[in-house]
Amino acid sequence: MIIETVFTPIEAIAGGALIGLSAVVLMWSVGRIAGISGIVAGAILESGDERYWRLIFLGGLFLGALIAAVTSGALSGVTPVANTPVLIVAGLLVGIGTRMGSGCTSGHGVCGISRFSLRSVVATCVFMASGVATVFVIRHLLGEGV
Amino acid sequence: MNRWVVLLAGALFGAGITISGMGNPAKVQNFLDIAGAWDPSLALVMGTALLVATPGFFWVLKMSSPRYAEKFSLPTKKDIDGKLLLGAVLFGMGWGLSGLCPAPALVAILTGIPSFFIFLAAMFAGMFVFRFVLEPQK
């Protein structure tokens, strides 16, 4: 379903700056890439220290999100844009795709591009194009479709 | 490792996703709808993050080692292979269908809406499938 939203430049700039700062703090402190798909996968599949720092980072992520949500109201009224069967297929695609492609919007899109990694520039262009094509198909070819 | 600094980095990330509105899949899906109800917010989120991270990494990576670890753990792969491309295509499809990528998917469960938990469970399942079925040698 299509839920209209408006361009929110101030919030986008403030949030983007915090995400960039997070990536720099993580690299400065423990020398790691703030790629969320890799951090989530490692928190599930690794063990020992490799799992431990990722769990702490994810704990912080939830804490920061919770504080921001409560103080800004940014999550009020947020609902899914697809039904449950579509979300299951989408979740599987995101899980498999981010592992096969070694990263997601944060790992490739923010951390990789800012290190001038060609792989990350290519991956970001490809997943953006794939996302745009997918939304074009479901909204403009299938109607509101899913 | 200084766990408080890692916790802080995580908190900055979670706050950034939330404040920017990227925890709302409608905003993300509308960003991808360039032929329709386009919402350019995501481009500005990513652009600002790059404006901070690019000089930040340039400065940090001139250090001989991170503050609390022996060395920087940077990706070593350089080649543009089929896995990178196919993975990005599949991820983009799931992202477009749901308006959710991994960090916003984590933030969205704070709404308490059950189908966001189901998406997250499916994403975990996809990671398991890749690790144990599609690429079990590692």
Side-chain angles (χ1 to χ4, degrees), chain A residues 97-123:
Chain A
T98 52
R99 292 293 74 221
M100 186 182 290
S102 310
C104 59
T105 336
S106 50
H108 281 311
V110 175
C111 296
I113 292 181
S114 59
R115 293 187 305 114
F116 306 107
S117 156
L118 182 61
R119 267 172 66 85
S120 290
V121 173
V122 170

Side-chain angles (χ1 to χ4, degrees), chain A residues 67-78, chain B residues 18:
Chain A
I67 293 168
V70 168
T71 55
S72 74
L75 290 182
S76 65
V78 166
Chain B
T18 307

Side-chain angles (χ1 to χ4, degrees), chain B residues 21-129:
Chain B
M22 296 301 105
N24 181 356
K27 280 187 84 67
V28 176
Q29 202 181 45
N30 290 344
F31 166 75
L32 295 169
D33 189 12
I34 50 179
W38 196 49
D39 178 347
S41 303
L42 188 147
L44 200 53
V45 175
M46 209 163 162
T48 310
L50 286 172
L51 275 178
V52 173
T54 304
F57 280 178
F58 181 76
W59 164 68
V60 166
L61 292 172
K62 282 200 287 193
M63 296 163 36
S64 56
S65 66
R67 181 68 178 80
Y68 302 108
E70 283 179 19
K71 59 181 176 55
F72 292 105
S73 303
L74 299 174
T76 51
K77 289 185 197 165
K78 296 275 183 260
D79 50 321
I80 314 291
D81 56 7
K83 271 176 56 184
L84 182 81
L85 299 175
L86 179 60
V89 167
L90 296 178
F91 164 47
M93 289 169 65
W95 191 36
L97 284 173
S98 63
L100 292 164
C101 52
L106 294 171
V107 170
I109 66 170
L110 294 177
T111 61
I113 296 171
S115 61
F116 283 135
F117 288 88
I118 293 172
F119 176 91
L120 202 60
M123 187 178 95
F124 289 175
M127 291 173 168
F128 269 97
V129 166

